[in-house]
Amino acid sequence: DAAVTQKPRYLIKMKGQEAEMKCIPEKGHTAVFWYQQKQSKELKFLIYFQNQQPLDQIDMVKERFSAVCPSSSLCSLGIRTCEAEDSALYLCSSSQDWGGYEQYFGPGTRLTVL
Amino acid sequence: GDSVTQTEGLVTLTEGLPVMLNCTYQTIYSNAFLFWYVHYLNESPWLLLRSSTDNKRTEHQGFHATLHKSSSSFHLQKSSAQLSDSALYYCALSDDSNYQLIWGSGTKLIIKP
């Protein structure tokens, strides 16, 4: 079975603190995606990696987040200075390649910013 | 640019009734892939259905959808809703223009006894 791992499952930060969450993609998958989901609703694309290289990201990520994939088996998403609006479920997914391939999702990291 | 529209944000049904969740899309490319993902509470989202073949019915786990390129639609259907079908359902699009999925806004399906 496909298994994308995310840690931690829950993260509580105070406003202004730094946050970091990790994702272990499915073995052999070259594409990694990060999404933000607020209030169990819309999936908001954050950043996409192909073979560990970031190929696309939204402006919010460029400005306030840090995201890297130091190896094919580990990616991380960080928030430099947490804000209340960052409270959300952060989902990581991986796929064999981009486009029409199935994305396999991890369980997510639920971030609460107080 | 590409887009996916899910018109219903919330659908509430009684168990046993048929389910239909709407999905329409826009793309200038002919080789579109359409997906339905399901996200149960406290679980990981997963792929429910996928299709790129025009007018071919795709089925899985009791759900079915048919890609109609003429109307740019990929509606999700089930003949009889079950309580366990309560979840978030996302329609998504992929084609040659993008390396990522274009996601619809999601439809929350609640099935009541």
Side-chain angles (χ1 to χ4, degrees), chain A residues 1 3 10 24 29-30 58-59 65 71 88 91 94 100-102 111:
Chain A
D1 289 339
Y10 300 91
I24 300 175
H29 285 184
T30 61
I58 63 173
D59 287 343
F65 288 58
S71 74
L91 289 163
S94 70
Y101 288 90
E102 177 178 358
L111 171 66

Side-chain angles (χ1 to χ4, degrees), chain A residues 1-8 21-34 68-77 90-95 104-109, chain B residues 44:
Chain A
D1 289 339
V4 175
T5 305
Q6 289 189 249
K7 293 180 181 180
M21 52 202 88
K22 297 186 186 299
C23 171
I24 300 175
E26 177 67 21
K27 190 175 182 180
H29 285 184
T30 61
V32 175
F33 303 84
W34 284 97
V68 293
C69 290
S71 74
S72 61
S73 58
L74 178 66
C75 293
S76 67
L77 179 70
Y90 291 84
L91 289 163
C92 173
S93 72
S94 70
S95 69
Y104 294 87
F105 284 84
T109 293
Chain B
S44 307

Side-chain angles (χ1 to χ4, degrees), chain B residues 3 5 9 13 25 27 30 32 35 46 48 59-60 66 74-76 83 87-88 90 95 100-101 105 108 110:
Chain B
S3 66
T5 301
L13 290 171
Y25 63 94
T27 178
S30 60
F35 304 79
W46 51 273
L48 180 60
E59 298 189 44
H60 187 58
T66 302
F74 192 56
H75 305 317
L76 182 67
L83 294 175
L88 263 172
Y90 293 100
D95 58 41
Q100 55 165 300
L101 292 181
S105 54
K108 187 172 186 177
I110 297 175

Side-chain angles (χ1 to χ4, degrees), chain A residues 4 9-10 33 35 37 40-43 45 48 55-56 89 91 98-108, chain B residues 9 33 35 37 39 41-47 50 88 90 94-96 98-101 103-107:
Chain A
V4 175
R9 292 293 307 276
Y10 300 91
F33 303 84
Y35 297 93
Q37 186 191 55
S40 299
K41 207 57 178 64
E42 188 169 349
L43 281 177
F45 166 79
Y48 157 65
L55 292 192
D56 191 28
L89 181 68
L91 289 163
W98 55 270
Y101 288 90
E102 177 178 358
Q103 289 189 22
Y104 294 87
F105 284 84
Chain B
F33 280 88
F35 304 79
Y37 280 80
H39 189 188
L41 188 63
N42 297 323
E43 294 185 12
S44 307
W46 51 273
L47 180 64
R50 168 177 49 194
L88 263 172
Y90 293 100
S94 175
D95 58 41
D96 281 347
N98 55 64
Y99 38 74
Q100 55 165 300
L101 292 181
W103 294 87
S105 54
T107 297

